[in-house]
Amino acid sequence: MKILVINGPNLNMLGIREPDIYGRTTYADLCDMIRDHAQKIGADVELYQSNHEGDLVDIIQKAYGNMDGIVINPGAYTHTSVAILDALKAVAIPAVEVHISEVDKREEFRQISYVRLACFATITGHGVNGYLEAMDLLRERHES
């Protein structure tokens, strides 16, 4: 199984940006956790992070025919990007939306998730472990 893990804007600043909300785990730590978990569940994983919406659309499109599942934390683009939604719908690869914080309990503008419309599951508020849970969901779906 091949899983693409996509992180949007500011996620490269984990451990620095608002640690009271996002924790002290760095982006490098997160990547190591994801790679370790992928090995544990027998998956190949590719990680990608960008602060640019078009780059995120491009990597989703490149996943077509190459990936079995997508874990995506689009950051702030969750609440604004119809382009990312359309890219996910176009490739039709099973996807799980992940958010480190409980976005549904935060500011009103964070209550909208366009990306969620193209995902079969959403994990919020489980910290960085949400990524591992998302990978497990993809594996279970792939095996069934």
Side-chain angles (χ1 to χ4, degrees):
M1 165 165 218
K2 295 179 185 174
I3 299 173
L4 174 62
V5 178
I6 301 172
N7 282 292
N10 297 311
L11 285 153
N12 58 313
M13 299 299 286
L14 283 176
I16 299 167
R17 177 183 173 223
E18 299 179 275
D20 53 317
I21 295 174
Y22 300 105
R24 299 210 179 273
T25 302
T26 67
Y27 184 69
D29 294 338
L30 173 63
C31 291
D32 289 342
M33 287 175 56
I34 290 169
R35 286 186 192 102
D36 289 346
H37 193 69
Q39 185 175 11
K40 177 181 168 188
I41 65 171
D44 292 326
V45 68
E46 182 178 321
L47 295 115
Y48 187 80
Q49 188 278 326
S50 179
N51 295 318
H52 306 281
E53 184 178 25
D55 290 346
L56 300 174
V57 170
D58 288 343
I59 198 71
I60 293 167
Q61 290 178 356
K62 288 176 186 171
Y64 181 75
N66 297 309
M67 293 291 167
D68 300 307
I70 295 173
V71 174
I72 185 165
N73 182 344
Y77 291 133
T78 302
H79 321 293
T80 63
S81 183
V82 174
I84 292 172
L85 166 64
D86 286 349
L88 287 167
K89 289 169 71 175
V91 299
I93 297 168
V96 178
E97 174 187 23
V98 172
H99 298 284
I100 295 168
S101 69
E102 287 188 83
V103 289
D104 296 333
K105 294 183 179 178
R106 293 182 60 198
E107 301 93 339
E108 186 175 329
F109 69 88
R110 294 188 197 275
Q111 306 308 304
I112 297 168
S113 172
Y114 290 104
V115 173
R116 192 166 296 169
L117 300 172
C119 296
F120 74 89
T122 299
I123 299 170
T124 67
H126 295 192
V128 293
N129 288 326
Y131 289 86
L132 311 185
E133 294 172 32
M135 293 168 67
D136 290 342
L137 285 175
L138 286 169
R139 183 171 182 242
E140 289 170 18
R141 183 177 175 116
H142 183 72
E143 290 178 351
S144 62

